[in-house]
Amino acid sequence: MISIKSDREIELMKHAGYINYLTHLEVKKNLRVGITTKALNDIAYKFIIKNDCKPSFLNYEGYPASICISINDEVVHGIPSNRKIKNGDVVSVDIGVEYKGYHSDSANTYIVGKTSKEVEDLVKNTEKSLYEGLSIIKDGVKISDIGSKIENYAKIHHLGVVRELVGHGVGTSVHEDPDVPNYYTTDHTRLKKGMVIAVEPMLTLGDEDIYVEDDDWTIRTEDGSPSAHFEHTVLVTEDGYVILTKE
Ligand code: MF3
Ligand code: CO
């Protein structure tokens, strides 16, 4: 069942989204060569708590940290640790924020220091693919059209589209119905105004194949190619959408 949010719920989700956005800014401000991913996690945790919110991911299905930090060939769900950020790292930061029982989910990818033009384009085009997917959203649109837009954009730029992980509804749980794949499907479910979904393309410089590491969380590309991830939580409206995880 896909929930339709009331005006009150939308207000709470807007606040959860805004704190999520501000948390991203805090992490970004501190992201540099030599900092550990654990230190970044702790900065996010403190900021979220200080703002009377909770980190949605902490203890979610046993996840042991507040945010996910996934580097280079890590696609998503990297667990913060004592590992230090290095020059040229591609760092994806995924944050969930809960306010009064309502969640927001958002991810950004940064390049720290210098890398190749190819990797720069991967990051730029993954972000663009997110906005391509979002661009068609409004009441009545087929959810599968979002994935088609993202997949087409990725194909034009010769990027792999990770298929095992998909976007999702967001509300009283960080993952709700519907699934929002980043590729073409024959699903005919339509968006309605008042739905809130997270759209989150994960693109790679190589193949789409992934595997789960021994820690049972970290997801990596099978071929070792770098990957980027961008995500926004958006509210569907009559004639468009509102990004909740932005200023
Ligand atoms: N942000 C992830 C998503 O977009 C969820 C992280 S799940 C966690 O679906 F378990 F790592 F918290
Ligand atoms: Co998500």
Side-chain angles (χ1 to χ4, degrees):
M1 216 254 312
I2 308 176
S3 66
I4 303 287
K5 272 72 181 181
S6 67
D7 289 348
R8 173 187 164 271
E9 290 179 302
I10 289 166
E11 282 316 304
L12 297 175
M13 294 195 76
K14 275 187 177 159
H15 188 70
Y18 182 59
I19 299 302
N20 192 316
Y21 164 74
L22 293 181
T23 310
H24 270 286
L25 293 187
E26 280 295 306
V27 172
K28 185 180 176 187
K29 204 170 73 188
N30 287 283
L31 180 58
R32 58 176 174 268
V33 171
I35 193 165
T36 66
T37 53
K38 174 84 169 65
L40 294 169
N41 177 82
D42 295 351
I43 287 163
Y45 175 79
K46 285 193 190 115
F47 185 82
I48 292 167
I49 296 297
K50 193 178 80 189
N51 283 283
D52 297 320
C53 293
K54 288 183 207 159
S56 305
F57 302 164
L58 184 60
N59 301 322
Y60 178 86
E61 291 181 8
Y63 185 73
S66 295
I67 64 175
C68 304
I69 303 181
S70 312
I71 303 174
N72 299 330
D73 62 318
E74 298 174 359
V75 180
V76 285
H77 302 170
I79 303 172
S81 68
N82 290 326
R83 173 177 180 184
K84 289 187 174 130
I85 301 287
K86 296 195 300 291
N87 184 40
D89 276 348
V90 182
V91 183
S92 299
V93 178
D94 194 346
I95 301 177
V97 169
E98 176 185 350
Y99 178 63
K100 296 190 175 167
Y102 287 84
H103 296 264
S104 63
D105 192 1
S106 178
N108 276 295
T109 299
Y110 309 102
I111 293 168
V112 179
K114 205 139 181 58
T115 184
S116 64
K117 171 86 169 65
E118 238 189 341
V119 172
E120 275 174 14
D121 286 347
L122 163 73
V123 174
K124 248 183 249 158
N125 285 325
T126 304
E127 183 168 27
K128 281 195 185 158
S129 79
L130 168 60
Y131 286 95
E132 276 288 303
L134 295 179
S135 68
I136 59 155
I137 292 180
K138 64 176 181 181
D139 188 89
V141 157
K142 263 198 276 177
I143 293 169
S144 58
D145 288 346
I146 299 172
S148 299
K149 285 292 264 188
I150 293 170
E151 186 174 31
N152 285 339
Y153 189 86
K155 277 209 177 124
I156 292 168
H157 296 276
H158 310 289
L159 300 171
V161 180
V162 173
R163 300 174 72 90
E164 269 112 311
L165 296 137
V166 296
H168 49 92
V170 187
T172 52
S173 170
V174 70
H175 291 142
E176 295 187 348
D177 285 345
D179 277 357
V180 184
N182 299 304
Y183 47 86
Y184 170 80
T185 67
T186 53
D187 179 13
H188 295 301
T189 312
R190 288 177 189 276
L191 293 169
K192 284 205 187 78
K193 94 177 198 212
M195 288 180 179
V196 177
I197 58 170
V199 182
E200 50 176 319
M202 289 148 264
L203 306 187
T204 79
L205 257 193
D207 286 341
E208 62 195 38
D209 302 327
I210 55 162
Y211 70 95
V212 186
E213 225 185 78
D214 293 341
D215 64 11
D216 283 339
W217 281 104
T218 313
I219 293 185
R220 291 181 186 265
T221 57
E222 190 74 56
D223 63 6
S225 63
S227 153
H229 178 211
F230 283 86
E231 175 178 27
H232 273 310
T233 300
V234 304
L235 165 70
V236 180
T237 63
E238 181 73 42
D239 45 18
Y241 62 96
V242 180
I243 297 178
L244 303 184
T245 40
K246 236 184 162 172
E247 196 170 1

